[in-house]
Structures are given as structure tokens and as C-alpha cells.
Amino acid sequence: MSSPLPLPGRARLFALLLMPFLAACAGLPTRPVEPPTLAIASTGTTPLQRVAAASLTGFPESGFQLLPVATASLEARLALAGRAQSSLDVQYYEWHGDDTGRYLLATLRRAAARGVRVRVLVDDLHSDDVDELLSGLAAFDNAQVRLFNPFVRRRTSQLWKLISSLDELSRVNHRMHNKMFVADNAFAVFGGRNIGDEYFMRSPARNFVDLDILAAGPVVEALSGSFDAYWNSEHAYPIDLVLPRTASRAERRAEFDAALAATAPPPPDRTVPPRYAPYVKAPADFEAGRLRLVAAHAELRADPLDKAAGTRLGSRNGTVRAFVGEFTRAAQTEAVSISPYFVPGDGGMETITQLGRRGVRMRVLTNSLAATDEPVVYAGYQRYIVPMLKSGVEIYELSPSLVKQRARLGRFGSSSGMLHAKILVIDRARLFISSLNIDGRSERYNTELGVLIDSAELAEDVFEMLDFEGSSYTLRLDATGKDIEWVSGSGDKQQVQTTEPETDAWTRFKSRALGMLLPENWL
């Protein structure tokens, strides 16, 4: 999701037309005054804490393992939840009520039942299909659920949430896009994935190419501190305040268990390419007592909470996006950006121009119009393609058909492939894995989180996984230097197209028309 009105383009316009007819009819509930709750410090005594200590033997700082395989990334989370004995702190932008979301909730309920303190913080924009289950989880001892920046009127769908809150747009337009999963303050998973079938190659319609990373060491404590800040903030409301229920806690527990009684674990993935074999072993390695981690210095950056109140609209100082700009401009030889949405804006173009003048190689991988789930944002990005190409940027757009044919970035079956990873690699030595999209929404309206890791080994691993040419279109300027060409294949099999590939005229018209109607900082 990518624009300041977090709706599909037509719905945004419809909502804007209705705004004058809306009147305030409900406000945020009063949050109780209560002492903050904090992450439970590691004592080194739980099984996960012992595995972390063994895995970090001889490490000066933190340790990391990439999770490029979607099914294995889910299994890592389930393994952490199943082995936790002290705490689970879970923070996500989206949590769907599909098979993946339901099974993970059932796993958290089992953890709470064995005495693990479970804290779940979910942004409220996409929670409509999982409201009742989240409320049910909160009825169990040891489990707490909070909604970030909640909607308090019509909650039957995302569309009605927004339409009924348009007079509060300055508040509800700010969303929490952070993503993390921390177990026993010993291991953490963070990156681009939300909780839902399409993030773990389980959707029949569309699945995302994404990347998470598993971490142990000091960076986990930093992530726990960030979680605490958001959990205890004025923007996080206990779900019972937002969704008052007449049923007793016992009745809600029974409803939860009944709703999830038939929930089954994800089926095993027997299609993992051999080259990804080292990245699917986390559950077995937890059992064996030691994980293969890469030692590296790491720096966590999370947006200040006042960004959720709109204080960073005029200046991005102190934000994750500002931090990204700073270390990108320090590139000496190469800067590679992978982002599902890429609208650089004036600041980004200034950085691109500076790097181009210094001879830094720049590469961008983003979604094609055929692959994106936000065609309006594609229109915003499209304005920058020619200037970026003229500045020397190598641009690649993910092709939904090529990525399926190559099967290098995942096994998509009958579904379509879409890019969702948010990665920046500088000089093949520094790797930034985050929730941040390169667009106006992430810069101005969403809170974001990312970790900068100093590791040439991890950076090379990422490059080994990527498939710029094989799964994407290469963009270039035509002979006139004014128009764009999309190139696929090579040699005798090279194909050149002069309009957005795999799209029809109507799709292209809608993208351009809606893009012209909306201001760029809304994209």
C-alpha cells in the first residue's frame, strides 16, 4: 500500500467526493492510564536464548541469516513461536484472516497457554477481516492485542473505515508500516513481509517476491526497544477499547478456539531450488541448538513516533527516509535499490544526479505496470523514468510472466508474481533491509523501520539471489532519447516494446489519468 489515502485510486476519488457530507459522530476512546510494559530481558536460560548464545559464539556483535524463501520465512516464525518460553512481541502493518494469519494466531494462542507473554501490535487499516480473532486472542491470559491509530466508526471494511473517517483524515492517514517478530528477546525476524497468504507463496491469485532476515544479538534488543516505544505510545489502543464486546472473556476464548479448530499448519514446501537450501534450515537448526549466522555490525533505524501525528510532513529530518538518503549519497562505487514502488521525488533525484556525476553505478528494480498493485503510484514513478535513465540509472521492472517462467525468485504456480522487497545495497558492503518503500507515503505518512547491516557477505548473497535481467524488463531510451523502450531477452530472442508490457490500453489510461489527478506527494 502506497498512497496518502490508502485506497485504490477510484475509491480515493469516491471518498473525496463524500467528504463534505460527513460529520463527526464518534471519537477515539479514552486510553487508560497504566504503567508501560517493556520487553522481558534475556536471562540466557530459555531454549531460544541458549541457541542464540551458541549461534553467536565468537561474534563481536549481531548475527544474521537471510530468509529469501517465503515458505521457510513463515516456518521460521512458527518455529520461534513454538519454542518461545518468555515472550513474543509481534508488530505488523497487515494481518489477514486467511490460512496464514489464522494459523499464526493459533500458534500465538498456544504460546500464551504455556505461559509466554504475547504482545501483538497491528496497524488498524487492514484489520477488518481479522478483528474478531484478534479480539478473541486478547481474551486469553498472557495475551495482549493493541491496534495502532484505530478507526472508531464503521469497521465493516477498509473502504468504510476510511469513508467514515474522512473528517479525521489528518489522523487516520498516518499508518504504522513497521514489521517485526521477536521471540524471547533472543531472535527476531524483520523485513518486508506482512502476515498473509500472498507474502508466503500461499495465495492462488498473487504472491510477492520479498525478503526477511533472521537476527540474534544486540540488534534484537534494539528491535525490542523500538517495539516497546510503539506499544506504549499514545497511538496504540487495547483492542477491547476499540471493539467492545458483550461476550464474556470465557465466551470469547471459546469462540476463538472454535473458529480456529480446523486450522492446519502450512504444507511442506518440496520445491525449494538447491541454491536456496542453506536458507530453509532454521527450524531444524533451532532443534539442533545452533544456527548458521553471519556476523556483522548493525544499526537500527525506526521512525520517531511523532511522525504518526503528522509532525514530519514538512521535513523528513530524523526519519528512516532521511537516513537512507544520507548513506546512499555516501556510495563510492554502486547503489542498488529494490522497491515495489519507486517515486524518488526532488530529493531522490538530487541524490541520483550527485551519484551520476561521481560515476557511481546505480540500479533500480521495481514493479512493472503489469506487476504493481498500485498503478496510480506507477504513474508517479513514470514521470522520473526518462530523467533517471539520462542520469545513468539502470532500471529494471519485474515482469509477472518472466518471473513465473524463470522460477528463480519463487514457485508461483498459477498465481502472478509481484515485487514487495525493500532492499538497498551500497558498494556491495552495506545492506539495508526495511519496511520502507521509496515513495511519498513512506516518506511523509507511514512510520517505517529498517536495519543497516555492514556485511559484504550478506550483500553478495542478496546479489546472488536477484535476477535483474532474467525476470525483468530492462528499460532504455529510444534513438530519439525521449521515449522509453522495454527490453527482454537477448541476442536473437531479444524483444523490444514501446508501451508498458503485459498491459492493455485501458490499464495504461487509468494509471496515467489517476496519476495526473493526484498530487505527487499523495503517491
Side-chain angles (χ1 to χ4, degrees), residues 453-517:
I453 305 168
D454 293 324
S455 172
E457 181 177 348
L458 289 174
E460 287 299 327
D461 282 350
V462 168
F463 277 112
E464 173 62 24
M465 295 168 192
L466 292 174
D467 186 27
F468 284 102
E469 291 84 0
S471 297
S472 307
Y473 297 103
T474 303
L475 276 61
R476 71 185 187 191
L477 295 175
D478 68 2
T480 69
K482 297 179 180 179
D483 296 319
I484 305 162
E485 294 179 339
W486 286 259
V487 182
S488 59
S490 59
D492 294 340
K493 295 184 178 180
Q494 185 181 86
Q495 296 182 5
V496 179
Q497 301 182 60
T498 57
T499 58
E500 291 83 358
E502 302 180 60
T503 65
D504 55 29
W506 175 238
T507 299
R508 296 191 292 271
F509 172 78
K510 285 191 299 182
S511 172
R512 289 180 174 86
L514 290 173
M516 287 188 292
L517 288 172

Side-chain angles (χ1 to χ4, degrees), residues 209 211 275-276 336-338 363 365 406 408-409 419 421 423 425 459-472:
V209 175
L211 180 71
R275 67 192 183 88
Y276 282 140
V336 178
S337 179
I338 297 105
R363 287 192 281 174
L365 174 63
R406 291 272 290 185
R408 181 177 166 89
L409 300 178
L419 181 68
I423 309 166
V425 184
E460 287 299 327
D461 282 350
V462 168
F463 277 112
E464 173 62 24
M465 295 168 192
L466 292 174
D467 186 27
F468 284 102
E469 291 84 0
S471 297
S472 307

Side-chain angles (χ1 to χ4, degrees), residues 374-397:
E374 283 286 357
V376 176
V377 183
Y378 184 92
Y381 144 79
Q382 196 172 39
R383 303 166 191 167
Y384 292 96
I385 294 176
V386 171
M388 285 195 291
L389 290 173
K390 288 183 175 180
S391 294
V393 180
E394 301 169 33
I395 303 177
Y396 303 86
E397 292 184 356

Side-chain angles (χ1 to χ4, degrees), residues 95-110 129-130 132-138 140 252-265:
W95 194 304
H96 297 306
D98 53 20
D99 289 345
T100 298
R102 293 165 68 87
Y103 188 75
L104 191 49
L105 285 174
T107 304
L108 295 179
R109 178 258 187 273
R110 289 192 289 272
D129 71 338
V130 76
E132 295 301 318
L133 291 175
L134 289 172
S135 176
L137 178 65
F140 287 92
R252 288 162 57 192
R253 292 194 292 267
E255 291 172 2
F256 180 93
D257 286 339
L260 299 185
T263 303

